[in-house]
Amino acid sequence: MLPSSPDHPSDPDGQLQQQLQRQPSVSIIVPIYNEEKVLPLFFERTRAVIQATGSSYEFVFVNDGSRDGSLSVLHGFRSVDEHVTIVNLSRNFGKEAALTAGLDHACGDVVVVIDADLQDPPELIHDFLAGWREGYDVVYAVRTSREGETWFKRFSSKWFYRCIQTVSDTQIPVDTGDFRLMSRRAVQALLRLREQNRFMKGLFAWIGYPAKPVMYARDPRNAGVSKWNYWKLWNFALDGITSFSTTPLRISTYLGLTTALFAFFYALIVIYKTLMFGDPVQGYPSLMVVILFLGGVQLVFIGILGEYLGRIYNETKQRPLYLIDALTSSELRQQLGHSPEHLSPPEHSAPSRSHP
């Protein structure tokens, strides 16, 4: 459903339409971790796209503790283009935290989230802006194909998103990553969510607001290698499921009740056979199998409880999501006075070194 129009009672003066007709300022958020090889081509290609729109813009590069020369490359960009903000984190906090840091420091009317590996084509930004002008707060990219990825990764990704849609009350779009555009009010709503275990794809969906999908074919990585191995992907999937569903806990409850009920009726049968027929209790091997099976099931569900308990423990510590080592502001951010009231992020980090 589209937002209000000039004829809609919630927009009597047509203010929304007037806002949509003007050129918005655009913040492009790019989390960076060891992307030295691909950064020059990404910057050149994406800058050409955003300049062609005629909008004022800024790049918000978040260096998430890169160990290669990524930070030096970013400072090179800043020396030739004042539309670059560099948020240098004190260490590697993970992509979800880096993404949050970028959102905290974005100043544009609309925000585009994109990875630097060029698997997501920057040219799609034109379609995103067209969707925003139609009145959508969120315009997200949906993959129709995933070139350059193994069959197992494609298979596991496909079924993970379908699984989490089944078990979660929040409808998370399938075949959708972080690549998207968000309006300022969508970003403001997202920044109110400061949970420690962050599954951004779920948080993007949780805020709601009118959203539009844009289909595209995902390209192979242009340079470098993926930072996501299967172990990290497995833990990422656990974060997603435990952040947006209590179904695993319900399964343990239902399985426990079913097992207890089965054991009760089986005990009645054993007692009846012993009293009526004097049938001795036999089956030591089968008894051991049952004990080991139940013990294994109990350990699995204790582990599930531990996953949820560990996340509660992390939340109670209330640590900042990230710390900033240095902040280099873009021209757009400087024009807005660095921290205008309507853009001020929540308290999230220790004081940082700031560069003009």
Side-chain angles (χ1 to χ4, degrees):
M1 187 175 78
L2 287 174
S4 311
S5 66
D7 299 325
H8 195 283
S10 64
D11 187 30
D13 300 324
Q15 294 178 356
L16 176 63
Q17 290 299 320
Q18 293 174 14
Q19 175 185 346
L20 296 179
Q21 288 170 1
R22 68 180 177 82
Q23 286 286 9
S25 57
V26 182
S27 293
I28 303 173
I29 298 175
V30 193
I32 301 296
Y33 180 65
N34 296 343
E35 299 288 3
E36 175 184 12
K37 294 180 180 179
V38 75
L39 275 172
L41 180 58
F42 167 81
F43 184 64
E44 177 185 355
R45 185 170 156 186
T46 308
R47 185 168 65 159
V49 169
I50 196 63
Q51 287 178 342
T53 66
S55 297
S56 58
Y57 69 93
E58 67 165 349
F59 285 88
V60 182
F61 290 103
V62 184
N63 181 43
D64 189 23
S66 296
R67 298 175 182 175
D68 61 1
S70 295
L71 184 59
S72 297
V73 174
L74 296 180
H75 282 297
F77 295 161
R78 183 63 177 81
S79 66
V80 299
D81 191 338
E82 294 184 344
H83 298 85
V84 173
T85 287
I86 303 172
V87 183
N88 187 37
L89 302 187
S90 63
R91 64 170 177 84
N92 178 254
F93 287 89
K95 183 183 178 183
E96 309 300 283
L99 213 55
T100 304
L103 292 169
D104 283 340
H105 291 83
C107 297
D109 297 321
V110 298
V111 168
V112 174
V113 177
I114 186 172
D115 291 336
D117 55 19
L118 290 176
Q119 287 186 282
D120 301 324
E123 291 74 17
L124 222 58
I125 292 175
H126 292 292
D127 298 312
F128 287 174
L129 288 171
W132 178 79
R133 289 190 178 93
E134 292 173 13
Y136 292 96
D137 284 278
V138 180
V139 186
Y140 59 92
V142 179
R143 305 160 183 150
T144 58
S145 63
R146 301 168 66 111
E147 298 297 329
E149 296 182 356
T150 64
W151 71 268
F152 182 75
K153 186 173 182 179
R154 293 195 299 269
F155 173 82
S156 58
S157 177
K158 173 183 176 181
W159 286 104
F160 165 71
Y161 285 106
R162 282 154 180 79
C163 173
I164 199 170
Q165 266 206 336
T166 301
V167 302
S168 174
D169 293 331
T170 301
Q171 291 302 298
I172 301 172
V174 298
D175 302 320
T176 301
D178 297 321
F179 188 29
R180 66 190 62 224
L181 174 146
M182 291 180 290
S183 68
R184 172 50 55 183
R185 74 164 180 169
V187 173
Q188 295 283 51
L190 192 61
L191 293 182
R192 295 174 63 185
L193 311 178
R194 308 304 291 185
E195 55 207 63
Q196 294 288 322
N197 295 284
R198 305 183 70 75
F199 180 64
M200 295 301 296
K201 297 169 185 63
L203 297 179
F204 289 144
W206 185 89
I207 62 173
Y209 295 119
K212 177 184 179 179
V214 174
M215 306 298 175
Y216 80 110
R218 199 175 201 215
D219 298 325
R221 169 179 272 271
N222 185 270
V225 295
S226 173
K227 313 308 182 294
W228 291 89
N229 56 38
Y230 289 116
W231 178 247
K232 289 182 179 179
L233 289 172
W234 167 253
N235 287 316
F236 185 63
L238 286 181
D239 282 338
I241 292 173
T242 54
S243 295
F244 285 89
S245 175
T246 57
T247 298
L249 297 176
R250 292 179 182 176
I251 290 175
S252 64
T253 301
Y254 297 147
L255 183 58
L257 290 172
T258 302
T259 304
L261 190 62
F262 175 79
F264 175 74
F265 284 113
Y266 185 69
L268 293 179
I269 293 172
V270 171
I271 292 171
Y272 175 78
K273 288 173 66 176
T274 302
L275 294 177
M276 299 302 295
F277 306 106
D279 189 15
V281 178
Q282 298 177 350
Y284 176 78
S286 59
L287 181 63
M288 288 300 298
V289 169
V290 170
I291 291 174
L292 292 174
F293 170 76
L294 292 178
V297 170
Q298 288 173 340
L299 289 175
V300 167
F301 287 111
I302 288 174
I304 291 175
L305 286 171
E307 290 288 339
Y308 284 95
L309 185 61
R311 283 156 175 75
I312 294 172
Y313 172 66
N314 286 335
E315 296 295 335
T316 60
K317 290 187 288 188
Q318 297 184 337
R319 291 176 179 171
L321 298 177
Y322 58 87
L323 298 174
I324 298 176
D325 175 58
L327 173 65
T328 304
S329 297
S330 68
E331 182 183 52
L332 177 62
R333 188 174 176 84
Q334 291 173 2
Q335 289 173 353
L336 293 173
H338 290 266
S339 298
E341 182 177 351
H342 69 290
L343 296 179
S344 295
E347 294 183 3
H348 55 274
S349 65
S352 62
R353 294 183 289 124
S354 182
H355 302 296

PDB file of all heavy atoms in Angstrom, residues 324-342:
ATOM      1  N   ILE A 324      34.397   4.060  17.734  1.00  0.00           N
ATOM      2  CA  ILE A 324      34.986   4.746  16.588  1.00  0.00           C
ATOM      3  C   ILE A 324      36.394   5.228  16.933  1.00  0.00           C
ATOM      4  O   ILE A 324      36.611   5.866  17.956  1.00  0.00           O
ATOM      5  CB  ILE A 324      34.109   5.943  16.169  1.00  0.00           C
ATOM      6  CG1 ILE A 324      32.731   5.455  15.731  1.00  0.00           C
ATOM      7  CG2 ILE A 324      34.771   6.728  15.046  1.00  0.00           C
ATOM      8  CD1 ILE A 324      31.778   6.593  15.392  1.00  0.00           C
ATOM      9  N   ASP A 325      37.334   4.901  16.055  1.00  0.00           N
ATOM     10  CA  ASP A 325      38.701   5.396  16.224  1.00  0.00           C
ATOM     11  C   ASP A 325      38.834   6.798  15.649  1.00  0.00           C
ATOM     12  O   ASP A 325      39.453   7.684  16.256  1.00  0.00           O
ATOM     13  CB  ASP A 325      39.683   4.442  15.536  1.00  0.00           C
ATOM     14  CG  ASP A 325      41.099   4.973  15.578  1.00  0.00           C
ATOM     15  OD1 ASP A 325      41.602   5.210  16.684  1.00  0.00           O
ATOM     16  OD2 ASP A 325      41.693   5.175  14.490  1.00  0.00           O
ATOM     17  N   ALA A 326      38.267   7.026  14.462  1.00  0.00           N
ATOM     18  CA  ALA A 326      38.359   8.344  13.827  1.00  0.00           C
ATOM     19  C   ALA A 326      37.188   8.527  12.877  1.00  0.00           C
ATOM     20  O   ALA A 326      36.701   7.566  12.278  1.00  0.00           O
ATOM     21  CB  ALA A 326      39.681   8.489  13.072  1.00  0.00           C
ATOM     22  N   LEU A 327      36.752   9.781  12.739  1.00  0.00           N
ATOM     23  CA  LEU A 327      35.635  10.113  11.869  1.00  0.00           C
ATOM     24  C   LEU A 327      36.046  11.260  10.954  1.00  0.00           C
ATOM     25  O   LEU A 327      36.454  12.327  11.423  1.00  0.00           O
ATOM     26  CB  LEU A 327      34.410  10.519  12.694  1.00  0.00           C
ATOM     27  CG  LEU A 327      33.199  11.062  11.927  1.00  0.00           C
ATOM     28  CD1 LEU A 327      32.613   9.987  11.025  1.00  0.00           C
ATOM     29  CD2 LEU A 327      32.138  11.590  12.900  1.00  0.00           C
ATOM     30  N   THR A 328      35.968  11.032   9.658  1.00  0.00           N
ATOM     31  CA  THR A 328      36.226  12.068   8.667  1.00  0.00           C
ATOM     32  C   THR A 328      34.913  12.398   7.984  1.00  0.00           C
ATOM     33  O   THR A 328      34.305  11.532   7.354  1.00  0.00           O
ATOM     34  CB  THR A 328      37.250  11.587   7.618  1.00  0.00           C
ATOM     35  OG1 THR A 328      38.444  11.169   8.280  1.00  0.00           O
ATOM     36  CG2 THR A 328      37.575  12.707   6.641  1.00  0.00           C
ATOM     37  N   SER A 329      34.447  13.635   8.112  1.00  0.00           N
ATOM     38  CA  SER A 329      33.115  14.003   7.661  1.00  0.00           C
ATOM     39  C   SER A 329      33.094  14.461   6.211  1.00  0.00           C
ATOM     40  O   SER A 329      34.050  15.075   5.722  1.00  0.00           O
ATOM     41  CB  SER A 329      32.545  15.129   8.541  1.00  0.00           C
ATOM     42  OG  SER A 329      32.408  14.696   9.873  1.00  0.00           O
ATOM     43  N   SER A 330      31.986  14.179   5.550  1.00  0.00           N
ATOM     44  CA  SER A 330      31.778  14.633   4.177  1.00  0.00           C
ATOM     45  C   SER A 330      31.339  16.090   4.162  1.00  0.00           C
ATOM     46  O   SER A 330      30.988  16.678   5.198  1.00  0.00           O
ATOM     47  CB  SER A 330      30.712  13.773   3.491  1.00  0.00           C
ATOM     48  OG  SER A 330      29.439  14.020   4.081  1.00  0.00           O
ATOM     49  N   GLU A 331      31.327  16.679   2.960  1.00  0.00           N
ATOM     50  CA  GLU A 331      30.859  18.056   2.798  1.00  0.00           C
ATOM     51  C   GLU A 331      29.396  18.187   3.210  1.00  0.00           C
ATOM     52  O   GLU A 331      29.004  19.162   3.861  1.00  0.00           O
ATOM     53  CB  GLU A 331      31.038  18.476   1.345  1.00  0.00           C
ATOM     54  CG  GLU A 331      30.620  19.912   1.055  1.00  0.00           C
ATOM     55  CD  GLU A 331      30.741  20.247  -0.416  1.00  0.00           C
ATOM     56  OE1 GLU A 331      30.183  19.480  -1.229  1.00  0.00           O
ATOM     57  OE2 GLU A 331      31.403  21.249  -0.745  1.00  0.00           O
ATOM     58  N   LEU A 332      28.573  17.170   2.869  1.00  0.00           N
ATOM     59  CA  LEU A 332      27.162  17.205   3.231  1.00  0.00           C
ATOM     60  C   LEU A 332      26.986  17.212   4.739  1.00  0.00           C
ATOM     61  O   LEU A 332      26.192  17.984   5.289  1.00  0.00           O
ATOM     62  CB  LEU A 332      26.436  15.998   2.619  1.00  0.00           C
ATOM     63  CG  LEU A 332      24.942  15.851   2.960  1.00  0.00           C
ATOM     64  CD1 LEU A 332      24.167  17.046   2.425  1.00  0.00           C
ATOM     65  CD2 LEU A 332      24.386  14.552   2.396  1.00  0.00           C
ATOM     66  N   ARG A 333      27.758  16.400   5.419  1.00  0.00           N
ATOM     67  CA  ARG A 333      27.662  16.345   6.875  1.00  0.00           C
ATOM     68  C   ARG A 333      28.131  17.645   7.502  1.00  0.00           C
ATOM     69  O   ARG A 333      27.565  18.126   8.483  1.00  0.00           O
ATOM     70  CB  ARG A 333      28.482  15.158   7.395  1.00  0.00           C
ATOM     71  CG  ARG A 333      28.300  14.897   8.893  1.00  0.00           C
ATOM     72  CD  ARG A 333      29.019  13.615   9.305  1.00  0.00           C
ATOM     73  NE  ARG A 333      28.927  13.419  10.725  1.00  0.00           N
ATOM     74  CZ  ARG A 333      27.891  12.858  11.346  1.00  0.00           C
ATOM     75  NH1 ARG A 333      26.846  12.459  10.651  1.00  0.00           N
ATOM     76  NH2 ARG A 333      27.878  12.706  12.655  1.00  0.00           N
ATOM     77  N   GLN A 334      29.171  18.248   6.940  1.00  0.00           N
ATOM     78  CA  GLN A 334      29.661  19.521   7.462  1.00  0.00           C
ATOM     79  C   GLN A 334      28.635  20.626   7.258  1.00  0.00           C
ATOM     80  O   GLN A 334      28.467  21.502   8.120  1.00  0.00           O
ATOM     81  CB  GLN A 334      30.984  19.877   6.780  1.00  0.00           C
ATOM     82  CG  GLN A 334      32.147  18.962   7.164  1.00  0.00           C
ATOM     83  CD  GLN A 334      33.397  19.235   6.356  1.00  0.00           C
ATOM     84  OE1 GLN A 334      33.418  20.138   5.530  1.00  0.00           O
ATOM     85  NE2 GLN A 334      34.440  18.451   6.589  1.00  0.00           N
ATOM     86  N   GLN A 335      27.950  20.614   6.123  1.00  0.00           N
ATOM     87  CA  GLN A 335      26.919  21.622   5.862  1.00  0.00           C
ATOM     88  C   GLN A 335      25.784  21.528   6.870  1.00  0.00           C
ATOM     89  O   GLN A 335      25.175  22.534   7.239  1.00  0.00           O
ATOM     90  CB  GLN A 335      26.371  21.461   4.449  1.00  0.00           C
ATOM     91  CG  GLN A 335      27.340  21.861   3.354  1.00  0.00           C
ATOM     92  CD  GLN A 335      26.803  21.532   1.972  1.00  0.00           C
ATOM     93  OE1 GLN A 335      25.765  20.891   1.823  1.00  0.00           O
ATOM     94  NE2 GLN A 335      27.531  21.970   0.946  1.00  0.00           N
ATOM     95  N   LEU A 336      25.498  20.308   7.327  1.00  0.00           N
ATOM     96  CA  LEU A 336      24.431  20.104   8.299  1.00  0.00           C
ATOM     97  C   LEU A 336      24.913  20.276   9.731  1.00  0.00           C
ATOM     98  O   LEU A 336      24.179  20.004  10.677  1.00  0.00           O
ATOM     99  CB  LEU A 336      23.825  18.704   8.117  1.00  0.00           C
ATOM    100  CG  LEU A 336      23.063  18.482   6.808  1.00  0.00           C
ATOM    101  CD1 LEU A 336      22.656  17.031   6.662  1.00  0.00           C
ATOM    102  CD2 LEU A 336      21.836  19.385   6.745  1.00  0.00           C
ATOM    103  N   GLY A 337      26.162  20.687   9.884  1.00  0.00           N
ATOM    104  CA  GLY A 337      26.670  20.941  11.229  1.00  0.00           C
ATOM    105  C   GLY A 337      27.036  19.679  11.970  1.00  0.00           C
ATOM    106  O   GLY A 337      26.993  19.627  13.200  1.00  0.00           O
ATOM    107  N   HIS A 338      27.393  18.601  11.255  1.00  0.00           N
ATOM    108  CA  HIS A 338      27.842  17.327  11.833  1.00  0.00           C
ATOM    109  C   HIS A 338      26.724  16.568  12.533  1.00  0.00           C
ATOM    110  O   HIS A 338      26.524  15.398  12.282  1.00  0.00           O
ATOM    111  CB  HIS A 338      29.016  17.521  12.806  1.00  0.00           C
ATOM    112  CG  HIS A 338      30.285  17.900  12.111  1.00  0.00           C
ATOM    113  ND1 HIS A 338      31.223  16.981  11.742  1.00  0.00           N
ATOM    114  CD2 HIS A 338      30.740  19.096  11.703  1.00  0.00           C
ATOM    115  CE1 HIS A 338      32.228  17.601  11.153  1.00  0.00           C
ATOM    116  NE2 HIS A 338      31.958  18.883  11.112  1.00  0.00           N
ATOM    117  N   SER A 339      26.028  17.199  13.440  1.00  0.00           N
ATOM    118  CA  SER A 339      25.025  16.467  14.221  1.00  0.00           C
ATOM    119  C   SER A 339      23.741  17.275  14.368  1.00  0.00           C
ATOM    120  O   SER A 339      23.417  17.743  15.454  1.00  0.00           O
ATOM    121  CB  SER A 339      25.581  16.108  15.609  1.00  0.00           C
ATOM    122  OG  SER A 339      26.681  15.266  15.509  1.00  0.00           O
ATOM    123  N   PRO A 340      23.031  17.523  13.279  1.00  0.00           N
ATOM    124  CA  PRO A 340      21.765  18.226  13.401  1.00  0.00           C
ATOM    125  C   PRO A 340      20.820  17.434  14.277  1.00  0.00           C
ATOM    126  O   PRO A 340      20.878  16.215  14.356  1.00  0.00           O
ATOM    127  CB  PRO A 340      21.249  18.281  11.950  1.00  0.00           C
ATOM    128  CG  PRO A 340      21.968  17.181  11.246  1.00  0.00           C
ATOM    129  CD  PRO A 340      23.286  17.063  11.906  1.00  0.00           C
ATOM    130  N   GLU A 341      19.938  18.144  14.922  1.00  0.00           N
ATOM    131  CA  GLU A 341      19.085  17.521  15.935  1.00  0.00           C
ATOM    132  C   GLU A 341      18.304  16.340  15.380  1.00  0.00           C
ATOM    133  O   GLU A 341      18.198  15.298  16.002  1.00  0.00           O
ATOM    134  CB  GLU A 341      18.126  18.559  16.512  1.00  0.00           C
ATOM    135  CG  GLU A 341      17.225  18.005  17.614  1.00  0.00           C
ATOM    136  CD  GLU A 341      16.334  19.078  18.200  1.00  0.00           C
ATOM    137  OE1 GLU A 341      16.546  20.260  17.866  1.00  0.00           O
ATOM    138  OE2 GLU A 341      15.435  18.739  18.970  1.00  0.00           O
ATOM    139  N   HIS A 342      17.770  16.489  14.144  1.00  0.00           N
ATOM    140  CA  HIS A 342      16.920  15.434  13.614  1.00  0.00           C
ATOM    141  C   HIS A 342      17.706  14.241  13.087  1.00  0.00           C
ATOM    142  O   HIS A 342      17.143  13.241  12.697  1.00  0.00           O
ATOM    143  CB  HIS A 342      16.023  15.988  12.503  1.00  0.00           C
ATOM    144  CG  HIS A 342      16.764  16.360  11.245  1.00  0.00           C
ATOM    145  ND1 HIS A 342      17.609  17.432  11.188  1.00  0.00           N
ATOM    146  CD2 HIS A 342      16.763  15.786  10.014  1.00  0.00           C
ATOM    147  CE1 HIS A 342      18.106  17.523   9.959  1.00  0.00           C
ATOM    148  NE2 HIS A 342      17.621  16.541   9.235  1.00  0.00           N
TER     149      HIS A 342
END
